Amino acid sequence: MTQPPVPEAPDDARWQAVAQRDPAADGTFWYGVRRTKIYCRPSCPSRRPLRPNVTFFESPEAAQAAGYRACQRCAADRVGAVATALARAQHLLDTEPAAPSLKALAAAVGFSPFHLQRVFKAHFGVSPKQYALRARTERLKTHLGAGQSVTAALYAAGHDSPATLYAPATDQLGMAPRAYARGGQGVQVRYAVVTGPLGPMLVAATARGLCAVRFGEPSALQAELRAEYPHATLTEDPATLAPYTEGLQAFLAGRPLPAYPTDLPGTAFQQRVWAALRQIPPGETRTYAQLAALIGQPGAVRAVARACAANPVALVVPCHRIVPKAGTGSGGYRWGAARKAQLLALEGALAPPF
Ligand SMILES: [Zn+2]
């Protein structure tokens, strides 16, 4: 029964690209429709012709020499149109402090939003929106690496308000998993222990952002950090960490928490839970079931609870805002129920943000 595979004819591959409107094929060939004598890019949004009506060309010139006219919808004769549009879009995303919307971006490069989204993703592997997040994160890292304070770096990187930082920072600034798997080898972790209304608090950060905020006895806190990052360079450095420790202490005195970048080692699932926790506004609470629903996995309540318990950064990832069902108290907390009750009382007293 077995037969030798029939080699795929080049035109079959080209027809596949046309049938799928594959933007990655743009510029590699053009197709003409015999009946209308019009030629197009593979990604042209116009209705697909029937296969027998289609012929292929190596260049717009070849199509024109055969008597075909360029399609107006896909600007088939402008060889560099896609490359030019992509370069302009990339430049705008790299340089605009506030990432333009897809609609604005498309208008700026002269494409429809739909078409731009397709060719951009085909070329860069990510959508313009994802690209903008990465670009902003790269700028943030550059500014932090240059020794700027965290807050100054955030604003320089185009985070116009704390709210815009929350999810992106957690998504994009994760510690390189391999570095963490090696016990933090090659990673510089700076830390400081400060005092406050909840007792001693250890605050630690890598160059990328906060990696630990914990309560307890100072010696135990330091031992815990060392156990977690056995091969990292650990340095007690209160001066460098002042932007973090001062903001966290101010928060415990009733001020809003600054939008801090984080560098959290964790699984993709844990990262999603922690990102969702950061979406719960101060003064509000959720149940584990609500949080599970929020990440789109209503059946994963136990796993969500475990991820909350593994939260490495108290306050910044506000796992204290998760409470049992109404009327059963404020529930457990990695750093003690008394601290949790204190925090919830503190946030209940916060004035609503304007
Ligand atoms: Zn066309």
Side-chain angles (χ1 to χ4, degrees), residues 228-240:
E228 196 167 349
Y229 297 94
H231 304 303
T233 309
L234 293 187
T235 315
E236 187 160 16
D237 187 352
T240 299

Side-chain angles (χ1 to χ4, degrees), residues 39-41 44 46 71 73-74:
Y39 71 95
C40 285
R41 300 171 182 283
C44 181
S46 63
C71 166
R73 274 187 87 175
C74 63

Side-chain angles (χ1 to χ4, degrees), residues 78-176:
R78 282 156 57 211
V79 178
V82 169
T84 307
L86 287 177
R88 285 192 60 198
Q90 184 183 20
H91 179 73
L92 287 170
L93 292 170
D94 280 339
T95 53
E96 290 289 318
S101 69
L102 178 62
K103 204 175 157 190
L105 198 64
V109 304
F111 276 24
S112 76
F114 176 78
H115 191 208
L116 178 64
Q117 178 90 351
R118 284 182 63 95
V119 294
F120 196 96
K121 196 154 185 191
H123 186 81
F124 291 104
V126 292
S127 70
K129 188 177 174 182
Q130 291 167 320
Y131 182 95
L133 285 177
R134 283 191 192 175
R136 206 165 53 166
T137 303
E138 288 307 311
R139 290 201 292 273
L140 177 58
K141 282 193 223 160
T142 306
H143 289 299
L144 285 173
Q148 247 182 324
S149 82
V150 172
T151 310
L154 289 179
Y155 285 97
H159 292 286
D160 48 350
S161 76
T164 65
L165 179 69
Y166 282 167
T170 314
D171 288 349
Q172 307 287 322
L173 282 175
M175 182 181 295

